[in-house]
Amino acid sequence: MHKVLVTGASGFIGKALCSFLEQSNYEVIKFTRKIGEITDEDTWKSLEKTDFVIHLAALNFVPESWKQSSEFLETNIVGTSRALEYAKRQQAKMIYVSAYLYGIPKELPITESHPILPNNPYALSKYLSEEVCKFHANFFNQSVTILRLFNVYGPGQRSEFLIPSLINQCLKSNVIKVLDLYPKRDYVFIDDVLDAIHRCMNQMNGLQIYNIGSSVSYSVEEMIEIIQKVCGTALKVNSENVIRQNEINDVVADISRARDSLGWEPKFGIEQGISKIVQAEKKALGLI
């Protein structure tokens, strides 16, 4: 039985991943803050040997990164460096879960070779962490796979993010309030992300980089329509028409590399994914 160390095991993706791996007969070591900080060398040295490291732990809420940029950079970059050093000592293979790094895209869909243009401190921290991954792969011959996740959604995501915020408003309010109706994003369901991670574990050699998205984008207005359809509501929508700093108008992932190399592509359409979240929320609220 392979052992897998999952950092950020108590987070949105981490919880789902640990459950998925356990059901797939892996022994999972869960690295949470109860064990220690990801930046602390002694904590890493106290961990048992594993075959894989899946590094999810990071500060990741973009608006907060503007207020605490130094903390985001320190935690995310040093934490990744510690994870890579641990993997090197243990001769473990590592999957680094990165993020959208392409800024305002020059063309759509966006391939992995698109210029990297971090446009917020969080994205900058993930980009610099990727550079540390590349250095380890090139100079220490480590097997490192980088997954650039686009907009992940699913049950259990924090309410600050768009989709859970909209669902909560549909189920609990008599009006839907948003800042802007127009920005479009590429949303990928959590179960499809877990499938991509698992496929990478079975096919790791040297440095690999993959976009993980759906190759389709939806505006905020379109997401509201889909969510209202699934929830069976017809609530009034109020938009403040606020354009965020460095706003990106549209994002579409080119996932052909993951499809060709991993045999991966998303199985969940947007309405199917939203339905699973709505069912989970209704159950949590005692509505079903």
Side-chain angles (χ1 to χ4, degrees):
M1 179 183 290
H2 287 300
K3 284 187 180 181
V4 185
L5 174 67
V6 177
T7 73
S10 61
F12 163 52
I13 298 176
K15 283 181 182 177
L17 177 62
C18 289
S19 177
F20 173 85
L21 291 173
E22 287 169 345
Q23 292 173 18
S24 302
N25 296 317
Y26 289 90
E27 183 178 346
V28 180
I29 310 301
K30 300 175 183 179
F31 192 144
T32 67
R33 285 186 173 174
K34 291 182 180 179
I35 292 176
E37 296 294 329
I38 59 168
T39 55
D40 181 55
E41 183 179 7
D42 290 336
T43 300
W44 282 99
K45 287 182 175 178
S46 71
L47 298 172
E48 60 188 281
K49 178 177 174 57
T50 55
D51 303 296
F52 295 92
V53 179
I54 303 176
H55 185 46
L56 289 159
L59 298 177
N60 63 7
F61 190 50
V62 172
E64 202 63 35
S65 75
W66 288 105
K67 303 173 187 176
Q68 301 177 24
S69 58
S70 294
E71 187 176 351
F72 270 67
L73 291 167
E74 179 181 2
T75 299
N76 294 353
I77 299 167
V78 175
T80 302
S81 178
R82 298 289 189 209
L84 286 158
E85 289 290 344
Y86 166 86
K88 183 174 68 173
R89 288 195 303 272
Q90 305 296 350
Q91 296 184 314
K93 297 177 179 179
M94 178 157 149
I95 296 174
Y96 174 62
V97 179
S98 189
Y100 178 86
L101 302 179
Y102 305 110
I104 298 174
K106 296 181 180 298
E107 58 184 10
L108 297 176
I110 303 162
T111 68
E112 290 85 352
S113 60
H114 186 285
I116 301 299
L117 301 166
N119 68 335
N120 60 70
Y122 166 66
L124 176 62
S125 74
K126 299 299 272 188
Y127 162 65
L128 294 173
S129 295
E130 281 197 12
E131 290 299 297
V132 182
C133 289
K134 293 174 186 177
F135 185 90
H136 273 255
N138 292 330
F139 289 93
F140 298 122
N141 297 316
Q142 289 181 245
S143 288
V144 182
T145 295
I146 296 170
L147 298 181
R148 291 178 182 158
L149 305 186
F150 281 58
N151 289 66
V152 185
Y153 72 104
Q157 189 173 28
R158 297 204 314 266
S159 60
E160 301 100 303
F161 290 87
L162 178 67
I163 288 177
S165 171
L166 294 176
I167 290 173
N168 282 336
Q169 290 184 76
C170 271
L171 296 179
K172 300 176 184 178
S173 181
N174 57 6
V175 64
I176 295 174
K177 297 179 181 180
V178 294
L179 294 178
D180 191 1
L181 291 170
Y182 302 107
K184 302 180 75 173
R185 294 292 182 267
D186 183 321
Y187 296 96
V188 57
F189 191 61
I190 181 72
D191 289 16
D192 287 321
V193 173
L194 304 182
D195 180 39
I197 292 172
H198 190 227
R199 287 172 185 266
C200 287
M201 292 171 68
N202 294 320
Q203 192 172 321
M204 293 190 67
N205 183 31
L207 176 68
Q208 305 291 337
I209 302 174
Y210 299 106
N211 284 338
I212 301 299
S214 68
S215 73
V216 181
S217 67
Y218 296 92
S219 68
V220 175
E221 186 172 26
E222 288 170 327
M223 290 306 307
I224 292 170
E225 291 173 358
I226 293 166
I227 289 169
Q228 294 233 63
K229 178 182 176 183
V230 171
C231 291
T233 58
L235 302 179
K236 181 181 178 181
V237 178
N238 289 340
S239 172
E240 296 180 25
N241 296 315
V242 173
I243 299 175
R244 293 188 303 178
Q245 182 180 4
N246 300 313
E247 183 62 88
I248 300 169
N249 291 324
D250 199 1
V251 167
V252 180
D254 184 321
I255 57 173
S256 55
R257 182 183 292 181
R259 183 184 291 118
D260 295 342
S261 299
L262 302 173
W264 175 88
E265 60 184 352
K267 299 181 177 68
F268 287 83
I270 191 70
E271 199 168 311
Q272 185 181 6
I274 293 297
S275 294
K276 289 179 74 72
I277 305 172
V278 170
Q279 287 295 106
E281 285 299 309
K282 283 185 174 179
K283 187 174 181 180
L285 294 170
L287 301 176
I288 56 173

